[in-house]
Structures are given as C-alpha cells and as structure tokens.
Amino acid sequence: MDKLLIRGGRRLHGEIAIAGAKNAALPELCAALLTAEPVTLENVPRLQDVATTLKLLRNMGARAERSEAAPETVAIDASGVTSPEAPYDLVKTMRASILVLGPLLARFGEATVSLPGGCAIGSRPVDQHIKGLQAMGAEITVEHGYILAKAKRLKGARITTDMVTVTGTENLLMAATLAEGETILENAAQEPEIPDLAELLIKMGARIAGHGTHRIRIQGVERLHGTTHRIVPDRIETGTFLCAVAATGGELLLRDARADHLDAVLEKLREAGMAIETGSDWIRLKSSGRPKAVSFRTSEYPAFPTDMQAQFMALDCIAEGASKVTETIFENRFMHVNELVRLGANIVVDGHTALVQGVPKLSGATVMATDLRASASLVIGGLVADGQTLVDRIYHLDRGYDRMEAKLRGIGADIERIK
Ligand code: EPZ
C-alpha cells in the first residue's frame, strides 16, 4: 500500500493547473451509454475512479479508451454494449457505479447493478434513485445484493426526491432524456457538475431546461447522438489546494479554476484572512501571517460543500482562535478528526459538530487515510506539521485526486510517494 512521506513547515509558492472535475467525469462517462454513437470527453482527470468507470464500461462491451496523443481525452463507443450490468466486484470499489443504472435502463430497457455498499462516511443509500425510476415506470427488485431493473420504455414523471441528492438527480436526469414525454425533477441538486452533465446531454440532442436550479424539466426524445464535450474544472481540487497554501503560508496561482463555483469557500478563506483575487479562469491566493479560525456548516450547493469540510478543518487546526464545524450531509464524515489529533490538533466532536481550538503548531506523525477527502485533510496537516508525516492508505487519495503529490512538489512541498 502506497504512503506519502511529507516533511512539513515549508511555505508554498507557485502555480497549479486544475484538472477536470471527478464528480462531473463520472456521470458524463456513464452518459455515453445513452447513445450508440461515439462520445468524446476532454479534460478527463487522471484518477482511479475514472479508471474504474472505464473498466465498468468495457466490462459491458463498450469501447472506452484514453487517447494516446492526449491523455486527458477519452473516447467512448457504447454501440457494442452486450451486457447491461455493473458487477459487485467493480461497484464495491466505487459507489458512483450506480450512475450506470439510469442510462442502461433508458437505452436498453434493463439493468443489473450491484447495490453499492456504504463507505466510511455513511450508509449512502440509493432509495431515491430507485423511487424516481419506479415513478418513471421501471419495475425494480433488489435481490442477492443486486438491483434488477426493467422498463419497456420509461415514461416522463414529476419526481420530488425526499432530499437533495447529487447522483440521484444525475441518474434521473439521464434516464429522463430518453423517456416518453416530460419529466420534472423537483428538489434537484444544483451542484455545478449537474449543469455540466446537462450541457453534455443537450449536445447529444436531449431537451433540458432549468439545470442548475432546483427544478429541471426534460422532454424525452427518441434517441441521442454522439458529441464532444470538455469537462468543467474540479472545484474541490481547487478548494483543496487553496486550503493547503492558506495553511502553510505563501502564494498560489490556480489556472483553469472556476471561482464562481466556489463562492462559499472563497468567502470563508477571506474571513480567515486570505488575500484572494479571481478572474474568469484563475484564482490567486496570498497567505501571510497566521490564519484566523473560521466556523462553517456544510450544506447543499451553493452553500459550503461537504467535500471541503475535512480540508478546511485542517486549516482551522492551526488558526488563531476556536471554530465550530458542522456537517449536515453525511452521518459519519469526521473520520479525519482522530488522525488530525495525532498530529497535535485540538478537536472535540459532539455529534454533527466538531469544536476546533487552533494550536500554533502541529507535529509530524504517522496517520491513516480513511476516505477521499479525509486523506486530503491529512496531507494538509502534514504540510504544516513540524518534522515528518507519513500518510498511510493513500489509495483513498488516488481515487479522487489527479497526481496530487506532483502538483504539491511543483509549488515547493517536500512530499514523496513511498511504494
Ligand atoms: C455526491 O455523492 C458526490 N459523489 C460526493 O462526493 C458528495 O460528497 C455528495 O454528492 C454530496 O455533495 C459524486 O458525485 C460521485 P448525495 P452522492 O446523494 O450523490 C442521502 C467525493 O468526495 N441519500 O447527494 O452519493 C445520502 O445518504 C464524494 O467526491 C439518501 O438517503 O451524495 C446523503 O446523506 C464523496 N438516499 C445525502 O442524501 C438516496 O437515494 C446526500 O447524498 C441518495 C442520497
């Protein structure tokens, strides 16, 4: 199992180009199943969850290859799909495999998808995905750990999910593009990855309006065609690097970054004392002096994203003053707390709230990654800690970050991968 060895205490300076968004790439790769024509996606990040999704598509009989010439470009041809299914051994490594359910059902009228297990941050049920597809006429049973779905042709429906669900909205949006008649998704998620998915689907011939708001209207069409689409930059990778340099001190220029997708985080970073300038596709952060402690509460977009909670908490650990971090989306997303405490942080968890008392210094130690964003939080902890930090089980990090240690080394971090 790979580890990251970090020698902390260095200020960071330099420039990083942000990769395409993981949480846009995953649904958009699955959207290619909706047509028999080739779909080309550009700016596809190089990370494990994308590799898993390509394997899943090939497993069904689709062609899904990164181009040799431009490794950020992926071509998918789903004309040859023979088995519309997602087996347990692949789904257990990546819950987002559930995103094949809507497309397979819409195009092939059937799908067999392993129920995604829970993960470190919560039970992660998919009841809303199933409820919505049943409302569109699908017959769905769950047996032996598999979702068995059938539908001659899905019918448009008006669907209100019990809570805002990102992949739930994405699955129903994709399914509705080929359904008969109109579908209205009420209580839809507004995360930027959803309008990006909608733009891809519209380029493929889908008829969608309201994407990016809580009400999305889709008029079903007979079929979709191929297209080329460039994936939106990753707002969470962006926020992660901003928190890292905010914590270490220094200056960072992020290129291909969308400041307008990160308002809540930029606001909190300014509150922490950071000087931040932004342009249409860049963000510059200057961090001098000790950050001020900032309280925040996660919620659905456009509020503070749950996927930035662990990283910003790492910043609060060395800030001046006390802060309160409240996690409202997942039931168990404080797995990084105990590991940050091993680095010398002063954090007390009380239910969905963590109370962080900023300390002047962290001290390097061996820590263990438990989930994707917790890993990023520990890397940030290691970058500011005195001495050496060894982050174990960084396969969690590799699932969702595109060559993180290389990018950090590029701005002066002393970080290396130990095989
Ligand atoms: C997506 O997960 C993201 N993953 C997550 O990012 C992100 O943390 C999450 O949205 C919230 O923003 C991808 O986009 C691939 P939800 P998702 O459905 O769709 C409950 C990362 O770090 N719920 O919006 O699975 C659920 O338990 C990952 O990149 C149901 O109860 O999250 C949670 O409490 C981690 N039933 C809440 O809703 C359902 O059918 C929001 O979950 C669906 C969801």
Side-chain angles (χ1 to χ4, degrees):
M1 245 185 266
D2 289 5
K3 300 172 171 56
L4 282 181
L5 178 60
I6 307 167
R7 291 178 191 81
R10 302 166 71 136
R11 293 171 64 82
L12 302 178
H13 293 84
E15 189 173 315
I16 293 175
I18 294 298
K22 165 178 90 79
N23 290 350
L26 301 184
E28 293 178 20
L29 287 164
C30 298
L33 290 167
L34 288 164
T35 176
E37 296 181 18
V39 171
T40 300
L41 292 176
E42 296 170 344
N43 200 30
V44 181
R46 280 184 265 185
L47 37 91
Q48 192 51 43
D49 275 4
V50 167
T52 303
T53 306
L54 295 179
K55 210 185 305 178
L56 191 59
L57 293 172
R58 287 196 286 268
N59 193 59
M60 294 176 194
R63 228 172 37 73
E65 305 300 333
R66 275 189 189 280
S67 89
E68 292 304 312
E72 264 83 18
T73 299
V74 170
I76 301 115
D77 176 339
S79 57
V81 167
T82 48
S83 52
E85 60 183 60
Y88 175 68
D89 61 325
L90 281 175
V91 175
K92 76 180 179 214
T93 65
M94 185 187 67
R95 305 186 57 270
S97 309
I98 191 68
L99 285 165
V100 302
L101 179 60
L104 289 176
L105 200 45
R107 173 138 173 261
F108 300 101
E110 60 175 329
T112 305
V113 178
S114 165
L115 261 184
C119 71
I121 64 178
S123 58
R124 315 288 296 276
V126 290
D127 56 296
Q128 301 298 309
H129 302 236
I130 290 171
K131 172 186 129 175
L133 291 169
Q134 285 173 327
M136 295 169 82
E139 285 156 42
I140 299 184
T141 56
V142 177
E143 46 191 73
H144 307 302
Y146 274 83
I147 299 168
L148 308 173
K150 282 197 181 337
K152 274 180 297 308
R153 180 165 185 201
L154 294 171
K155 289 188 179 30
R158 184 189 184 96
I159 302 164
T160 305
T161 49
D162 297 359
M163 80 293 293
V164 173
T165 157
V166 173
T167 51
T169 301
E170 290 165 347
N171 241 334
L172 298 176
L173 170 60
M174 290 190 282
T177 59
L178 292 176
E180 187 179 343
E182 179 179 59
T183 296
I184 298 180
L185 301 182
E186 298 285 4
N187 206 16
Q190 303 181 94
E191 273 69 5
E193 291 76 32
I194 287 170
D196 198 61
L197 170 62
E199 292 307 321
L200 163 65
L201 294 167
I202 290 168
K203 284 182 191 171
M204 291 169 71
R207 294 173 55 199
I208 301 169
H211 39 293
T213 74
H214 273 318
R215 170 177 295 156
I216 305 177
R217 304 174 81 105
I218 307 106
Q219 299 296 339
V221 294
E222 286 305 309
R223 76 179 53 74
L224 295 179
H225 51 75
T227 190
T228 295
H229 177 72
R230 181 175 176 78
I231 294 175
V232 68
D234 194 317
R235 62 194 165 97
I236 305 302
E237 184 192 31
T238 304
T240 301
F241 287 126
L242 290 171
C243 284
V245 179
T248 61
E251 190 169 330
L252 175 66
L253 175 62
L254 293 178
R255 295 208 174 286
D256 302 334
R258 289 285 300 271
D260 59 326
H261 288 167
L262 216 55
D263 285 326
V265 176
L266 296 183
E267 207 174 288
K268 291 293 177 183
L269 284 168
R270 289 190 172 110
E271 222 181 289
M274 302 303 136
I276 295 176
E277 296 164 271
T278 64
S280 59
D281 65 353
W282 58 269
I283 301 173
R284 183 192 307 279
L285 173 140
K286 285 183 190 160
S287 168
S288 49
R290 191 177 174 191
K292 294 180 192 59
V294 173
S295 294
F296 62 95
R297 169 192 188 84
T298 67
S299 186
E300 293 88 2
Y301 191 86
F304 194 99
T306 174
D307 290 350
M308 279 301 305
Q309 180 255 105
Q311 301 91 307
F312 207 103
M313 185 189 285
L315 173 59
D316 271 336
C317 286
I318 46 97
E320 188 174 345
S323 56
K324 199 167 126 181
V325 175
T326 306
E327 171 59 54
T328 72
I329 303 289
F330 289 112
E331 64 265 32
N332 186 31
R333 203 167 197 176
F334 283 146
M335 307 281 278
H336 43 286
V337 168
N338 292 331
E339 299 303 305
L340 288 169
V341 167
R342 281 183 50 72
L343 294 174
N346 177 344
I347 311 169
V348 175
V349 171
D350 172 13
H352 285 271
T353 298
L355 296 172
V356 184
Q357 181 65 42
V359 295
K361 272 277 165 214
L362 295 179
S363 62
T366 298
V367 288
M368 190 171 72
T370 51
D371 58 272
L372 170 55
R373 307 304 174 181
S375 330
S377 155
L378 298 178
V379 169
I380 295 173
L383 290 171
V384 301
D386 272 350
Q388 280 194 187
T389 293
L390 194 61
V391 184
D392 202 351
R393 301 193 182 182
I394 55 155
Y395 59 86
H396 291 291
L397 196 79
D398 295 337
R399 289 192 45 188
Y401 284 97
D402 181 337
R403 291 160 292 168
M404 178 187 265
E405 75 265 21
K407 294 178 178 177
L408 285 170
R409 250 200 316 275
I411 59 172
D414 181 345
I415 179 171
E416 61 184 302
R417 182 176 289 254
I418 314 279
K419 288 284 174 198

XYZ file of all heavy atoms in Angstrom, residues 24 28 39-44 195-201 203 227-232:
172
model
N -17.898 15.318 -12.192
C -18.582 15.548 -13.478
C -18.180 14.429 -14.437
O -19.001 13.909 -15.194
C -18.197 16.909 -14.054
N -20.641 11.772 -16.598
C -20.577 12.031 -18.044
C -20.031 10.840 -18.816
O -20.451 10.584 -19.952
C -19.773 13.315 -18.299
C -20.514 14.534 -17.751
C -19.788 15.861 -17.908
O -18.886 15.951 -18.757
O -20.132 16.794 -17.184
N -18.879 9.172 -28.133
C -18.866 10.391 -27.316
C -17.417 10.622 -26.890
O -16.749 9.698 -26.416
C -19.753 10.240 -26.056
C -19.570 11.411 -25.102
C -21.224 10.110 -26.465
N -16.911 11.842 -27.129
C -15.535 12.166 -26.730
C -15.569 13.187 -25.596
O -16.207 14.234 -25.728
C -14.757 12.746 -27.935
O -14.740 11.752 -28.966
C -13.324 13.086 -27.536
N -14.902 12.850 -24.495
C -14.830 13.777 -23.360
C -13.394 14.279 -23.229
O -12.442 13.489 -23.303
C -15.250 13.067 -22.062
C -16.738 12.673 -21.984
C -17.016 11.880 -20.705
C -17.635 13.895 -22.069
N -13.255 15.617 -23.089
C -11.931 16.228 -22.923
C -11.775 16.719 -21.482
O -12.767 16.882 -20.778
C -11.798 17.417 -23.895
C -11.857 16.969 -25.359
C -11.980 18.145 -26.331
O -12.319 19.264 -25.870
O -11.752 17.940 -27.533
N -10.493 16.900 -21.078
C -10.211 17.368 -19.723
C -10.656 16.358 -18.664
O -11.093 16.720 -17.581
C -10.900 18.737 -19.474
C -10.256 19.485 -18.320
O -9.059 19.338 -18.069
N -11.049 20.266 -17.598
N -10.529 15.061 -19.021
C -10.885 13.985 -18.088
C -9.728 13.802 -17.112
O -8.592 13.562 -17.535
C -11.138 12.669 -18.850
C -11.524 11.556 -17.873
C -12.236 12.847 -19.897
N -25.304 20.992 -14.068
C -25.390 21.741 -15.331
C -24.374 21.282 -16.362
O -24.658 21.269 -17.554
C -25.123 23.188 -14.900
C -25.484 23.256 -13.467
C -25.226 21.894 -12.911
N -23.175 20.857 -15.903
C -22.173 20.405 -16.882
C -22.644 19.125 -17.564
O -22.537 18.971 -18.782
C -20.815 20.181 -16.193
C -19.680 20.146 -17.214
O -19.478 21.166 -17.905
O -19.042 19.075 -17.356
N -23.224 18.215 -16.762
C -23.789 16.973 -17.334
C -24.932 17.330 -18.288
O -25.032 16.804 -19.395
C -24.312 16.071 -16.212
C -25.146 14.863 -16.620
C -24.347 13.898 -17.495
C -25.685 14.144 -15.380
N -25.781 18.272 -17.886
C -26.913 18.676 -18.732
C -26.421 19.250 -20.057
O -26.973 18.957 -21.129
C -27.788 19.689 -18.000
N -25.343 20.048 -20.005
C -24.784 20.614 -21.259
C -24.329 19.492 -22.191
O -24.559 19.538 -23.399
C -23.584 21.532 -20.935
C -23.935 22.819 -20.193
C -25.027 23.623 -20.881
O -25.020 23.694 -22.128
O -25.917 24.130 -20.163
N -23.698 18.467 -21.625
C -23.278 17.316 -22.457
C -24.506 16.665 -23.082
O -24.566 16.438 -24.301
C -22.524 16.287 -21.612
C -22.379 14.894 -22.227
C -21.509 14.928 -23.483
C -21.820 13.898 -21.215
N -25.531 16.412 -22.267
C -26.741 15.730 -22.763
C -27.433 16.574 -23.846
O -27.891 16.053 -24.863
C -27.691 15.456 -21.597
C -27.172 14.448 -20.550
C -28.036 14.474 -19.292
C -27.106 13.033 -21.133
N -25.972 18.650 -25.865
C -25.137 18.495 -27.085
C -25.431 17.154 -27.768
O -25.245 16.995 -28.973
C -23.650 18.534 -26.720
C -23.103 19.920 -26.411
C -21.604 19.778 -26.117
C -21.005 21.051 -25.549
N -19.615 20.808 -25.066
N -21.137 13.262 -29.497
C -20.672 14.653 -29.441
C -19.298 14.703 -28.770
O -18.744 13.650 -28.422
C -21.676 15.530 -28.653
O -21.311 16.911 -28.816
C -21.647 15.186 -27.167
N -18.760 15.883 -28.637
C -17.516 16.100 -27.891
C -17.790 17.147 -26.819
O -18.517 18.120 -27.077
C -16.410 16.614 -28.848
O -16.130 15.557 -29.777
C -15.136 16.944 -28.089
N -17.233 16.939 -25.622
C -17.538 17.868 -24.522
C -16.310 17.995 -23.616
O -15.639 16.992 -23.341
C -18.725 17.332 -23.711
C -19.085 18.168 -22.514
N -19.696 19.396 -22.618
C -18.912 17.940 -21.186
C -19.886 19.883 -21.397
N -19.432 19.031 -20.511
N -16.031 19.219 -23.180
C -14.897 19.439 -22.258
C -15.429 19.544 -20.834
O -16.340 20.331 -20.572
C -14.168 20.739 -22.639
C -12.962 21.044 -21.749
C -12.173 22.271 -22.206
N -11.093 22.573 -21.273
C -9.942 21.906 -21.235
N -9.734 20.907 -22.079
N -9.017 22.206 -20.344
N -14.889 18.736 -19.950
C -15.399 18.648 -18.579
C -15.013 19.880 -17.761
O -13.901 20.392 -17.865
C -14.855 17.369 -17.900
C -15.442 16.143 -18.593
C -15.168 17.330 -16.410
C -14.906 14.823 -18.121
N -15.944 20.324 -16.944
C -15.771 21.507 -16.099
C -14.631 21.281 -15.096
O -14.416 20.135 -14.674
C -17.119 21.783 -15.348
C -17.414 20.689 -14.316
C -17.122 23.156 -14.710
